[in-house]
Amino acid sequence: MKVAVLSFAHVHAATYIELLRDRSDIELITTDPDAPPGDPTRGKALADQLGVTYRADYEEIFAECPRAVIVTSENTRHRQLVEQAAAAGAHVLCEKPIATTEDDARAMIEACEEAGVSLMTAYPVRFHPAFTALRHALADGSVGPLLSVHGVNNSRPPGLERPWFADPVLAGGGAIMDHTLHIADLLDVLLDGEQPTQVYAVANTLLTPNNGDAGEPKVESAGLLTLTYARGLVATIDCSWSHPSSHPTWGGLTLTCVGNRALIEFDAFPPLLDGYDTTQATTRWEPGAIDLDAAMLDSFLTAARTGQRAHPDGETGLRTLQTALAAYESLRTSQPVVTAAAAWPLP
């Protein structure tokens, strides 16, 4: 099956390429025509480094009729590429956020539905077996009805490697846009798609990569969201670019669920081994989690082969985006934002 990776802008692009390039069942082609000239982390330079086939532009890619594409461009360019892919009859895995506006997200969903292709949003954490165990614990009643959920998703500042992450135009926001969404997706799964009726957010720019550059717009580097649901549940999302470069892992994601019978905790990236490496004089951590990106890609490729609907789909991407956009509206007004979900009764 021919698969194309469209753009190397996102930090996950290289990871997806490395996972796909050596598979005997995949013919991989790539392109990154929007790469800044001379950037060794983008364009043909990266393709050559990774040893993958490179095409000059998107038109050349679509002329080869790939069955599936992975969109890893800057956030604001997702719509254009997804619509091109749909028109070419290709199934789509789109990096999160699905878009930076509701209008773009809805247009992408509509384009894929009209073309009869899948639109999957890149939320790998939901494929973690420990998260599956968490879902089962909630479903069998051992935790009891949920009272509150606290989610944390922190990482190193991605803008240090890819400056566009700190560009409000290309990224659509900062840490809230980058890190709210993974937790929002897990909440979407646990609550069967129920959306918050109210969103309140606070944020700061203390760790924004361009914080010291006079005159440049700033995006938030840390945020805290409080979500209220019609059932009475309260959830919080701690999202930040707060990990220093010396942190043993790029990022981390945890979820604490409090029920009326038990408390259950989920850690997506626990360390398996920690010790002292005398050759490098540093503390060494070996990851203990499964490869979540590989699990997500397997699910997407299966959907592309069989024609089944991929999950998490574009509608999931839209719902999670709505939570982030409500947070930005709350930041603008310094008030809680009542969402459209408040007008609908519980299912």
Side-chain angles (χ1 to χ4, degrees):
M1 181 168 66
K2 185 171 290 186
V3 177
V5 173
L6 307 182
S7 177
F8 303 158
H10 201 282
V11 292
H12 291 163
T15 300
Y16 299 151
I17 290 171
E18 289 173 335
L19 288 169
L20 292 171
R21 70 183 173 190
D22 298 325
R23 290 181 58 145
S24 60
D25 60 336
I26 297 297
E27 179 187 350
L28 183 63
I29 55 176
T30 67
T31 189
D32 187 24
D34 300 314
D39 186 343
T41 68
R42 299 280 303 270
K44 192 173 186 305
L46 180 61
D48 290 344
Q49 177 186 332
L50 296 176
V52 293
T53 302
Y54 187 81
R55 303 298 186 224
D57 52 40
Y58 300 123
E59 288 69 27
E60 192 172 338
I61 286 281
F62 289 120
E64 296 190 32
C65 301
R67 183 166 180 82
V69 303
I70 301 173
V71 175
T72 41
S73 65
E74 297 87 347
N75 298 341
T76 54
R77 291 175 172 152
H78 287 178
R79 175 177 175 175
Q80 170 196 347
L81 295 179
V82 169
E83 288 180 334
Q84 281 185 265
H91 299 281
V92 182
L93 171 62
C94 183
E95 187 54 69
K96 60 84 188 167
I98 185 173
T100 58
T101 69
E102 282 195 44
D103 286 346
D104 281 357
R106 293 185 189 280
M108 293 158 64
I109 293 169
E110 182 178 347
C112 290
E113 287 180 346
E114 289 181 352
V117 298
S118 287
L119 172 58
M120 182 176 179
T121 310
Y123 287 135
V125 182
R126 64 159 59 194
F127 293 94
H128 201 303
F131 181 67
T132 300
L134 168 59
R135 293 178 63 188
H136 289 164
L138 293 174
D140 68 19
S142 58
V143 177
L146 275 178
L147 305 176
S148 69
V149 180
H150 177 54
V152 179
N153 188 12
N154 299 332
S155 76
R156 300 174 193 170
L160 294 177
E161 296 182 19
R162 303 295 170 91
W164 71 263
F165 272 95
D167 183 326
V169 175
L170 292 176
I176 287 178
M177 185 64 82
D178 191 30
H179 282 330
T180 290
L181 302 177
H182 283 301
I183 301 294
D185 176 58
L186 301 185
L187 289 169
D188 193 77
V189 174
L190 296 179
L191 302 179
D192 296 320
E194 181 185 345
Q195 295 303 288
T197 57
Q198 184 172 280
V199 176
Y200 179 64
V202 292
N204 66 55
T205 63
L206 297 177
L207 300 174
T208 303
N210 64 0
N211 198 40
D213 298 334
E216 289 194 18
K218 299 176 184 177
V219 294
E220 75 287 349
S221 52
L224 181 64
L225 281 62
T226 302
L227 316 179
T228 305
Y229 292 81
R231 67 175 70 186
L233 172 73
V234 175
T236 59
I237 301 177
D238 174 347
C239 49
S240 76
W241 294 334
S242 56
H243 283 190
S245 58
S246 58
H247 196 276
T249 59
W250 164 266
L253 188 149
T254 61
L255 206 63
T256 302
C257 299
V258 180
N260 68 354
R261 295 179 185 172
L263 179 148
I264 187 166
E265 296 180 323
F266 163 64
D267 187 345
F269 304 100
L272 175 66
L273 176 68
D274 136 12
Y276 191 74
D277 187 337
T278 57
T279 62
Q280 300 180 12
T282 58
T283 299
R284 173 173 176 169
W285 286 37
E286 295 293 339
I290 68 163
D291 193 325
L292 299 179
D293 290 324
M296 178 184 68
L297 287 176
D298 282 341
S299 179
F300 170 62
L301 295 173
T302 297
R305 283 195 180 95
T306 62
Q308 297 174 343
R309 189 177 184 91
H311 293 282
D313 58 13
E315 295 287 352
T316 303
L318 172 59
R319 290 194 299 270
T320 52
L321 173 64
Q322 287 171 330
T323 296
L325 294 179
Y328 284 115
E329 178 64 13
S330 177
L331 290 180
R332 189 184 69 80
T333 62
S334 300
Q335 297 293 325
V337 170
V338 177
T339 71
W344 296 91
L346 281 171

